[in-house]
Amino acid sequence: MRSLFQRKQISDPAEGSPAGGLKRVMGTSDLVLLSIGAVIGAGIFSTLGTAAAGEVLPTGEVVRYGAGPALVLSFLLLGAVCALAALCYAELASMIPQAGSAYAYSYATLGELIAWIIGWDLILEYAVGNVAVAIAWSGYFNSLLSPFVQLPGWLTHGYYNVHASSDPALRALLDTAPRLAGIPVLLNLPAFFIVMIITGLLVVGVKESTRVNNAMVVVKLLVLALFVGVGAAHIRPENYTPFAPNGFTGIHQAAAIVFFAYIGFDAISTAAEETKDPQRTMPRGILLGLGICTLIYVIVGAVATGLIPYQQLQAADPLARAFDVAGLTQFSWIIALGAVVSMSAVLLVFQYGQPRIFYAMARDGLLPPWAARIHPRFRTPHVTTMITGVLVALGALVADDAATYDLTNIGTLSAFMMVCLGVPVLRLKDPHRPRPFRVPFVWPVSIGGALACLFVMKGLPVHAWERFGIWLVIGLVIYFAYGYRHSVLRRGAAPVDLGGPHG
């Protein structure tokens, strides 16, 4: 039993990446833009509407209460929670500049079994989360095309998304869509194709991908500036009353779903082995990115809920809808364009992060060796990048986005909680190790961060906890069937071959 919690030795960060490993090409500005690319996307362009207005099933059952105009408090609450976790991430990232993010940190602090569970949770964050983002991207893409081309509904909505919808027009597709073997054919083709395009880009190389991401970040910030500038001039103060229609319950439950918008800074830490001078740039990138994104969220949320009554934000494209309802239709097309670009950046960052989790786990022997292979020319984990891309694309064809948001959030929050707990554990077990960045007031910050993450998790629906439990059981079965027996740490073997230029 004790071997299940055996910790991986932390290598000296000064040693850099091994020969044939990943290329160190990213600086602080790249990391901040990577953070903005991941954080500002589906959360502000899609889940904002559900967080403000709430969610009700076709049966009339309330899934979650909305925050109303108090949505800005949900953003501030999450900003504070994530700031605590970000400080812990910054300390561990500066000490353990390795691919794998929270997985690598947990392996070095809490042991192999916890590391496996966190790695398994991170699959929810990136792969399952990207399914939701791809579906949201498709919604805005269809809005963008609608003035010129109307795509058939059965080719732009997945089966489970239609089945879970309370919109009568959308549910009508169950009867009107073509059938195959008696089953309605409902496929979200735009979501499928954007994931495959992003996957191809990531196989080519990291530096090429960050250039594309940086360009998309500039576009999304310009569009959000347009939304704030034009929308602020048309705010109606009466829309802020009542400010918190469902009290703190609404603020709490809104925070639980819109938390999806804050998980981007975790993606930064997966880039540790591809970052120049990670001891300095990782903490800066994580904290700067989080601070900038929180400020943007609060401002956009305040404008959106002041522009129209919060109940009318319940839509697949809430920001574009806000302009439409407010009579600013000449700008709604630009907002849709910005959302398409924005969520393309999110897809890029999430698809970037997931293969690197697989890469780190396979390198430790917990997954098969092929998952640690690096392309001899592009120096990217091409095998896991392609496999992840195909699975995410297939999921986006049929999945329900609301369910995937909840599953992503609970998996990510559990990983954040473990990172917060890992900092004080490592302070006790290895107090003399150099810490280029140290968490101030370590015990209140780390324990408070873990409890805050658990508090946000409590705001998620019961079905999210049930599915999360099933996910963990599946992960433990895989670990004991393969990872436990092939662990490099337990067998005392050399790390898995990374597939260098001659591998």
Side-chain angles (χ1 to χ4, degrees), residues 151-159 161-163 165 167-179 183-187:
L151 297 176
W154 61 276
L155 290 180
T156 58
H157 296 89
Y159 175 81
N161 203 14
V162 172
H163 193 270
S165 175
D167 182 353
L170 194 57
R171 287 185 63 83
L173 290 173
L174 292 170
D175 300 319
T176 60
R179 291 181 173 267
I183 300 174
V185 177
L186 294 164
L187 301 173

Side-chain angles (χ1 to χ4, degrees), residues 38-358:
V39 174
I40 299 179
I44 198 70
F45 283 105
S46 185
T47 62
L48 180 146
T50 301
E55 182 182 353
V56 181
L57 293 177
T59 59
E61 179 188 351
V62 176
V63 177
R64 75 187 89 238
Y65 291 97
L71 175 66
V72 294
L73 299 183
S74 300
F75 284 134
L76 289 173
L77 171 64
L78 287 174
V81 172
C82 290
L84 297 175
L87 288 168
C88 296
Y89 262 98
E91 176 167 323
L92 294 181
S94 69
M95 295 174 64
I96 315 170
Q98 299 175 3
S101 178
Y103 161 77
Y105 309 154
S106 299
Y107 212 154
T109 58
L110 302 174
E112 183 174 284
L113 179 60
I114 301 299
W116 168 269
I117 292 173
I118 294 305
W120 192 243
D121 288 349
L122 290 175
I123 296 173
L124 290 179
E125 176 178 349
Y126 294 110
V128 179
N130 234 7
V131 171
V133 177
I135 294 170
W137 182 95
S138 177
Y140 272 100
F141 180 72
N142 292 328
S143 297
L144 196 62
L145 288 184
S146 60
F148 315 104
V149 179
Q150 287 285 349
L151 297 176
W154 61 276
L155 290 180
T156 58
H157 296 89
Y159 175 81
Y160 292 103
N161 203 14
V162 172
H163 193 270
S165 175
S166 58
D167 182 353
L170 194 57
R171 287 185 63 83
L173 290 173
L174 292 170
D175 300 319
T176 60
R179 291 181 173 267
L180 184 64
I183 300 174
V185 177
L186 294 164
L187 301 173
N188 196 329
L189 290 184
F192 175 86
F193 285 119
I194 186 59
V195 172
M196 295 309 298
I197 291 170
I198 293 293
T199 299
L201 177 64
L202 284 169
V203 169
V204 171
V206 173
K207 193 60 180 177
E208 291 76 8
S209 302
T210 56
R211 291 194 186 104
V212 174
N213 174 70
N214 293 351
M216 290 191 288
V217 167
V218 171
V219 171
K220 83 165 71 175
L221 291 179
L222 290 174
V223 169
L224 287 176
L226 171 69
F227 177 83
V228 170
V230 175
H234 294 81
I235 286 177
R236 302 178 63 181
E238 59 268 26
N239 289 332
Y240 289 127
T241 305
F243 182 69
N246 295 302
F248 187 74
T249 298
I251 295 170
H252 182 202
Q253 294 186 359
I257 186 172
V258 87
F259 172 78
F260 186 87
Y262 277 88
I263 64 180
F265 77 82
D266 173 75
I268 300 177
S269 62
T270 68
E273 283 191 39
E274 292 154 287
T275 300
K276 295 177 287 187
D277 190 16
Q279 293 77 23
R280 294 169 61 86
T281 54
M282 291 301 294
R284 290 176 180 175
I286 289 172
L287 297 173
L288 281 173
L290 178 62
I292 292 170
C293 293
T294 299
L295 178 62
I296 292 172
Y297 273 169
V298 169
I299 294 173
V300 172
V303 171
T305 52
L307 194 57
I308 63 173
Y310 71 89
Q311 300 93 334
Q312 298 184 43
L313 288 171
Q314 178 65 283
D317 50 354
L319 297 190
R321 165 113 179 168
F323 269 20
D324 283 339
V325 174
L328 303 171
T329 54
Q330 67 271 34
F331 297 104
S332 59
W333 191 86
I334 299 176
I335 298 300
L337 175 62
V340 166
V341 172
S342 173
M343 285 186 275
S344 297
V346 176
L347 286 166
L348 177 70
V349 176
F350 282 15
Q351 285 296 97
Y352 169 90
Q354 176 62 84
R356 283 149 182 82
I357 302 297
F358 285 139

